[in-house]
Structure formats: structure tokens, C-alpha cells
Amino acid sequence: MTSKDPASPGHRPGADHSKHNHAGHDHSRGDHAGHNHGPSGEKHGPGDGHDHSHANFLGPNTEMIFALASGAALIIGVLIDNFVGAAPGWLPTALFLLAYFFGGFFTLREAIDNLRQKKFEIDTLMLVAAAGAAALGAFAEGALLLFLFSLGHALEHYAMGRAKKAIEALAELAPPTARVRRDGVTSEIPVEELEIGDTVIVRPNERLSADGFVILGNSAINQAPVTGESIPVDKAPVADPALARARPNSVLAESRVFAGTINGSGAIEIEVTRRSTESALAKVVKMVSEAETQKSPTQRFTEKFERIFVPAVLILAFVLLFAFVVIDEPFRDSFYRSMAVLVAASPCALAIATPSAVLSGVARAARGGVLVKGGAPLENLGSLTAIAFDKTGTLTEGKPRITDVVTASGVSEDELLRVTVAVEALSDHPLAQAIVTDGTARLNGAGIPAAGDLKSLTGRGVYATIGGETVWIGKAEMFGTDGIPALGQEMTTAVAQLREAGRTTMVVRQGGRDMGVIGLMDTPREAAKQALLKLKDIGITRMIMISGDNQKVADAIAKDVGLTEAWGDLMPEDKVEAIKKLRANEKVAMVGDGVNDAPAMASATVGIAMGAAGSDVALETADVALMADNLAHLPFAVDLSRKTRSIILQNTILSLGIVAVLVPATIMGMSIGAAVAVHEGSTLIVVFNALRLLALRNRYAESPVAAQA
């Protein structure tokens, strides 16, 4: 079955097809099946070089039309031969030969291609068997063989095309044109002509044509096509367009947008940060397509098996040619039996068992916002017993928040916060920014005094002046040194209690009076706890947090989100050693942001990156990428992998079982036609069983919308 040419007009996936035509799958040449026959292990499927488009003069379904024409000629020939006595004797034979022509047309072309590549595969075996039947005068049986084989292939190609289309549909999400404002003039241009820095106008309910950040307007955007998120995400303009332009990777999620997503009811304007060939969607299309070529452990095993099995079958068929020497039968019967064994023992279903499941699984994962880079990580993901998580940005928001405000005797919370916010507003430290943001919100509009003369004590804290008095804010260790009076017992006790709970503490003193302590913590993600509970239900027995924070902070976060273990005080190289230690005893995944955690992810059985839609590094380094910055998709990915492993096992057992039954059956006398019928039937069962993955429901979705994403 041929697919739409991605290079043709109107089909603009946002990727440079001259560089990566779906991972080398040149669809302009036609999609011919998804087999992997023969000892060579060469792919017999989309992009394998088997070119049927040169004969698609009747449209994309030419192969199916030829197969049905073969069947019609065969049936008419049989009816005339058996029920129309007055018909000329040559007519049934002519119809059988016509069936040979239509049934063998594509098979012959492919056999010639194979022989040119020095490959002796199933197509050649079928032609030899059909020619042998004709040599014996059994034209009807030979025609039946070619009809069933060609029909099986045509149906198989159609079924595999369904999985291919699921991937190609990703490429069609981005619109072909964009509405751009340049120098005050608005015009519509092809997305390929978009430049970084262009302003794109997006009307309500339109698909976005480029990656970028919002500079004007508010809206809710359905990001499910790219990230798999179940509900639309509210978007607002960036606070500082110049800063966003200079550091596009630091733009917050509430302002970042992606090509292929769907705008809500508000008109927005976005500034382009990536060309169409570099958008998150384009990279997903490219990587998902490339994932088809990445072989899984089971696929590598079946290819090794075929390298031994196929020569053994050829030797068996050759030996059976001389059965007439041992048993009392004519050479004709021995030859016929040998041809039947060749057909029955073809590893067609076995070869397609794993690729079809992997292709369907990868396509379904991509539609659910999970990028899986090939068969190996797809299978390995389902075999995990342990998952290690980075803390910052994975289990937590990566943004410290005020969790506790402890005031000294005689000091109100508002008084403490007003002084603290006034001083910290002069600092650009992340903890200072967190205090200003959360403190201002807690003050609810209360007046904040003016502060000045900010000075920093590196690694310890800051001090400034308010109304002529010095205000110190910093770690407890700052007090009692360098002429700064020591803390009183009340504050010392409060600091100790907050630190025991895993809080980062900032002590505040104004003049000679201790005012209080503010506790901060990198708060857990809302989705983390639920995701971990679901992973536990699936059967992940160990879930470990590995973090560079101190052990008490790690323990506090682990307890909050429901982890089984927490390992703190780890440097990046220590994380790698921790993963290696875990992997020595079990299969373990490492979940991180794909940047600082890349070495640990590479050491794990499966590396899983969070928020890959906005991170080039995450897309490149991980085996599995959760496109949304959300752990909620991880249980779905593991569940999908386990379903894929189950279907691969079912397909492998079925295909080997059919061969195990057919080979002795044909030796004992089963006809070629019956062997072909069972053989092709098993191949179709294997393919359609794999296609069930495309319809797999996301049982872990936050809402029904996610299951349809």
C-alpha cells in the first residue's frame, strides 16, 4: 500500500524531508508491507526498497485489485472446468494462467528485486512452488497458491499501512501556512519560510504553525497533539519579550507554545523561536519514524533464529525432493511435497510479529505524548522493576516556595514579611525571588517599606537598611560571626525544627531584634504523588529519589510524594554510580530533565526525560521522552510497553506454533493451497493483533480527553 508523499504539496509536517524522509522511508516509492524475511534480516516493509509504485497505474490499491482479479479468474476457471462441460478445454487453463499473471505480478517483481540483492526469500519460494505446480499440470493449485499469497500480502500491506498512517498523521498536524506580520504588513506565507523572530498571528480555534512564545493575548491551548496533556493549558504573554528572545529555553510553560497545537477562544500573537524543520513536532515525527528501524531484543532474537532456520528449511526441502528414492511414490509427489514444505516453513509471520507490534506501540505512544525511540526501550520499559527519579524539576516544581513563616515573640507575620520582601526585592537570587513572589501574595496588597544599600555575604545571606536600621537575612550560621550578634534560643530552636522537616531556612533580624524565620521548600508536583501510586499499582516495586540536596530534604520530599527510598547528598557522578548499583540487581529507569541527569540516564536500562517538548537536550539524550512536563504520562508509557511485550510474545508463540504444525502436516501430505491459506492467515492474525495497540485506551488519563489524544 502506498502512502502519501510527504514531500508533495499540501503535506507539510514541518520537517526537512530532503534530510530525513521519515527515517529513510521514501513514501513516494510506495509502502510495501512490513516483513522481515530471510537470513539477511533485511526489512521487508516500508522503506525497504521494494517498489510497487511503478505499477500503481490503477491507484494505491493496484495490488489488491490484482489479487482480487487473480481470485476471480481462478474461481471462474474452476467453475467452468467442473460444471460447464460444453466449454472448450483450453478455457479453464487460460483462466488459470490469467490468475497466475495477476497473482504473480507483484510477487515476481519483488522476487527479482530480492535476487538482485542476492536474497532468497519467501516471494521466490512461492514462485518456485507455483512453477512446480504448473510443471506437474496442476495449474489450478498453482493459481490458488499465488492468489492466496498475493491476497494475504495485499491485506497485510493495508493493515501495516494503518500503523504507518498513525505516525504520518503527526506530520500533518502543523498547518501548511502561517499568518505573519512583518514591518507592519500582515501576509500568509508557507511555514517553511518562517524565520526566527517572526510574529505569527493565530486566530481562535486555529492550529499553531510554529514553536515560540506568546507576546500578545491570552488563550487556552490544546497541547494534546504534541504533549498528550488531557486538558487545554492557559497561556499568557511573556513578561519580558527581550529576555525571552535572548533566552528562549528559559521561557515558562505558561507562555511557551508549539506547532500543531490548537488555539482556544482567544486570538494570540507569538514570536517564532524555531524554524519549521526544528520544531518539537518536526523532531517527534523524525524520531518516531526513526524508531521503526531500532530493533528490539525480541526482534534481534528472531533474526538470529531465522539465520539458522531458513537454511535448515532449504536443506529439508532439498532432501524431500529425493523422498521417492526411499518410499514408493513418483517424483511428482516428492517434488510437490517439497514445494509445500517451502511454503509452510516460511518464517513470514515470525518476522512480522515484532516489527508490527513495535510500530503500533511507538505510534500509539506518540499520540499519547510519549516519544519512545525504538523497539529496545519500548520492550525494556515494560520489564522495569525499579525507577529512580531526580528531585528538582521532576518530582518537584524546581521553584522554591514559602512553606513556613515562624515569627518571634511580639512580631506579626505581616511585619516580618514586609521587612523581608523589601530587602529581598533588591536581590536576584532564586530564593530571594521566591520570597518576594510568595511574600507579596501573602501580604495581599499591604504596603512594603523602602529598602536600600543591599550588600551580599556570599553563601550566607544579605543585609540592607530600612529606615536607618540594618536588616540581616540569611542562614543561621551567618549570625554570631563577623560582628553579627548570635541568634536567641527561640530562633535557634525554630531553625532546628524547620531543618528537621527538610526546609531551607532564612532568618530575619532588624536592628537588634530577631524577627523570625522563613522556611522554603521546592514543593512536590501535584501530579507526582498520583503518578507514583499508579506506578506502584502497575507493579514497580522500588521507586527511589536521587538528589544532590541534603538527606533530610530528600527524605521530606520522598515522604510527601510516596517514594520508597531517598538518596541525598549525591553529586552528578554519584548519581551515575547509584544507577549502576541499582542496575546490577534489577532493570531500572532513570527519570530526569535530560540535562544534568544525562549521564545517569545513559547508565540506566531506560533513560526517561521530562518536558521534552521544550528541551532539545531531553529529546536527544533520552530513550523515552515525556513530551509534557508531567509525570502523569509515565504510568501510561509503562502500561503500553507491557501490553506491547505481551502482544510480541503472543505473536511469536503463534507464528512458531503455526510453523511447527504446518511443516509436519505438509510432509504428511497437506496441499500447497491449504498450507498457503493457514500461513497467510497466521500472518494477518499477527498483524491485526499488533494493530490493537493503536486503539489502546489510556487507563491512567486524568480525563477522557487524554485517552483520545
Side-chain angles (χ1 to χ4, degrees):
M1 176 177 178
T2 53
S3 3
K4 187 174 179 182
D5 180 358
S8 62
H11 183 92
R12 304 177 192 272
D16 185 352
H17 293 282
S18 65
K19 294 181 181 178
H20 57 80
N21 201 345
H22 285 305
H25 293 197
D26 185 353
H27 294 290
S28 65
R29 300 184 61 199
D31 269 0
H32 184 65
H35 286 50
N36 191 342
H37 297 310
S40 67
E42 292 295 331
K43 213 177 160 192
H44 175 60
D48 64 354
H50 294 305
D51 182 0
H52 286 186
S53 63
H54 52 223
N56 282 354
F57 42 82
L58 298 180
N61 295 318
T62 301
E63 188 174 8
M64 179 66 75
I65 294 170
F66 270 47
L68 295 176
S70 175
L74 172 63
I75 292 170
I76 295 171
V78 169
L79 291 174
I80 291 175
D81 193 29
N82 289 281
F83 301 105
V84 184
W90 56 265
L91 185 56
T93 302
L95 288 167
F96 294 148
L97 289 174
L98 191 62
Y100 262 70
F101 170 78
F102 285 114
F105 184 86
F106 287 104
T107 306
L108 177 61
R109 285 179 174 270
E110 190 155 324
I112 292 171
D113 288 343
N114 288 332
L115 291 173
R116 283 175 178 166
Q117 298 174 44
K118 298 180 180 178
K119 292 187 292 182
F120 192 69
E121 297 190 359
I122 183 62
D123 311 272
T124 310
L125 300 184
M126 290 297 182
L127 286 173
V128 169
L136 296 172
F139 288 102
E141 222 162 2
L144 175 63
L145 186 157
L146 291 176
F147 161 59
L148 290 174
F149 184 70
S150 61
L151 179 63
H153 259 210
L155 290 171
E156 182 188 320
H157 303 165
Y158 173 77
M160 288 299 293
R162 290 280 305 277
K164 288 287 295 177
K165 282 184 175 179
I167 291 175
E168 290 172 359
L170 292 171
E172 297 177 350
L173 290 174
T177 60
R179 194 174 297 104
V180 182
R181 180 186 296 118
R182 289 176 176 170
D183 300 324
V185 178
T186 301
S187 60
E188 196 161 297
I189 64 173
V191 293
E192 293 87 352
E193 296 179 12
L194 284 175
E195 298 291 340
I196 294 174
D198 276 342
T199 299
V200 174
I201 301 168
V202 185
R203 293 172 179 168
N205 304 315
E206 284 187 341
R207 285 191 182 271
L208 276 68
S209 53
D211 285 13
F213 54 83
V214 180
I215 55 175
L216 183 65
N218 295 77
S219 188
I221 293 181
N222 178 2
Q223 298 190 151
V226 174
T227 67
E229 288 167 286
S230 58
I231 57 175
V233 180
D234 290 333
K235 300 292 180 180
V238 293
D240 186 345
L243 179 62
R245 195 172 297 122
R247 299 170 58 192
N249 290 332
S250 66
V251 174
L252 298 177
E254 53 261 34
S255 299
R256 180 185 290 146
V257 294
F258 306 106
T261 56
I262 306 168
N263 189 23
S265 58
I268 58 174
E269 293 186 11
I270 65 173
E271 183 167 315
V272 177
T273 56
R274 290 171 174 164
R275 291 184 172 86
S276 62
T277 56
E278 299 167 348
S279 70
L281 179 63
K283 289 179 179 178
V284 169
V285 172
K286 177 178 182 287
M287 290 182 178
V288 170
S289 297
E290 287 176 344
E292 300 173 47
T293 66
Q294 305 299 316
K295 295 174 182 176
S296 72
T298 305
Q299 190 173 353
R300 288 195 293 268
F301 163 76
T302 56
E303 289 182 358
K304 289 178 181 177
F305 175 79
E306 288 172 19
R307 283 196 285 270
I308 300 170
F309 180 73
V310 172
V313 169
L314 293 173
I315 292 170
L316 175 61
F318 180 75
V319 170
L320 288 174
L321 282 174
F322 301 97
F324 70 94
V325 176
V326 180
I327 60 176
D328 186 17
E329 68 176 12
F331 173 73
R332 170 194 182 101
D333 292 348
S334 296
F335 181 81
Y336 185 89
R337 184 186 294 110
S338 176
M339 296 299 102
V341 169
L342 281 179
V343 172
S346 166
C348 185
L350 176 64
I352 196 65
T354 303
S356 58
V358 167
L359 182 62
S360 298
V362 167
R364 176 63 186 97
R367 280 173 33 218
V370 180
L371 175 59
V372 183
K373 296 183 182 177
L378 183 62
E379 279 199 52
N380 288 334
L381 192 60
S383 66
L384 298 174
T385 55
I387 301 180
F389 298 87
D390 174 51
K391 180 182 77 70
T392 306
T394 301
L395 293 172
T396 65
E397 297 287 353
K399 304 171 188 173
R401 304 291 300 272
I402 292 178
T403 55
D404 305 87
V405 178
V406 181
T407 59
S409 300
V411 178
S412 69
E413 181 174 316
D414 276 11
E415 187 181 359
L416 171 62
L417 288 174
R418 289 173 63 229
V419 169
T420 307
V421 169
V423 173
E424 296 288 32
L426 303 176
S427 172
D428 59 358
H429 191 279
L431 288 178
Q433 294 174 359
I435 290 174
V436 171
T437 301
D438 290 356
T440 303
R442 288 180 179 230
L443 286 170
N444 198 25
I448 297 173
D453 300 325
L454 180 78
K455 290 183 175 58
S456 175
L457 300 173
T458 305
R460 292 185 292 165
V462 297
Y463 65 94
T465 57
I466 296 179
E469 284 190 302
T470 301
V471 176
W472 285 273
I473 302 176
K475 296 178 179 179
E477 290 76 14
M478 179 176 74
F479 300 89
T481 62
D482 296 333
I484 305 172
L487 292 175
Q489 185 58 46
E490 183 183 16
M491 287 299 96
T492 301
T493 301
V495 168
Q497 290 175 341
L498 289 175
R499 286 184 174 178
E500 187 65 28
R503 306 306 195 249
T504 297
T505 57
M506 304 292 283
V507 182
V508 183
R509 173 183 286 164
Q510 183 173 20
R513 180 177 63 152
D514 292 342
M515 297 194 69
V517 184
I518 294 177
L520 299 101
M521 193 174 186
D522 187 1
T523 52
R525 290 176 179 268
E526 292 182 10
K529 191 170 185 177
Q530 289 301 317
L532 295 177
L533 283 173
K534 292 169 184 175
L535 287 170
K536 186 177 180 181
D537 291 341
I538 289 174
I540 303 298
T541 55
R542 294 184 71 185
M543 289 180 282
I544 310 105
M545 180 173 71
I546 58 177
S547 172
D549 283 343
N550 71 68
Q551 188 63 48
K552 288 182 178 179
V553 172
D555 288 338
I557 294 291
K559 182 179 179 181
D560 200 349
V561 298
L563 287 169
T564 56
E565 302 169 57
W567 300 352
D569 301 310
L570 298 179
M571 299 296 287
E573 58 271 23
D574 298 326
K575 292 184 180 182
V576 174
E577 290 304 314
I579 292 297
K580 288 181 178 178
K581 180 181 176 181
L582 286 167
R583 193 173 180 182
N585 301 311
E586 55 195 322
K587 291 189 175 181
V588 60
M590 172 66 195
V591 185
D593 61 12
V595 184
N596 300 327
D597 304 307
M601 289 164 60
S603 300
T605 309
V606 181
I608 303 172
M610 293 272 294
S615 169
D616 293 337
V617 176
L619 276 174
E620 295 296 335
T621 59
D623 300 309
V624 176
L626 308 181
M627 300 306 291
D629 195 18
N630 190 340
L631 271 179
H633 295 300
L634 185 53
F636 164 65
V638 175
D639 186 48
L640 174 64
S641 173
R642 294 191 172 182
K643 293 290 193 304
T644 303
R645 284 168 58 86
S646 175
I647 284 179
I648 288 173
L649 180 62
Q650 293 167 17
N651 285 353
T652 303
I653 291 173
L654 174 66
S655 53
L656 287 174
I658 290 294
V659 170
V661 170
L662 280 183
V663 170
T666 49
I667 292 175
M668 299 302 293
M670 176 183 278
S671 70
I672 289 177
V676 170
V678 176
H679 175 274
E680 292 303 315
S682 68
T683 301
L684 289 177
I685 290 173
V686 161
V687 172
F688 285 115
N689 189 38
L691 289 179
R692 290 193 298 122
L693 289 168
L694 290 175
L696 180 69
R697 186 175 65 88
N698 184 353
R699 298 185 293 127
Y700 305 98
E702 296 172 345
S703 75
V705 178
Q708 301 166 8

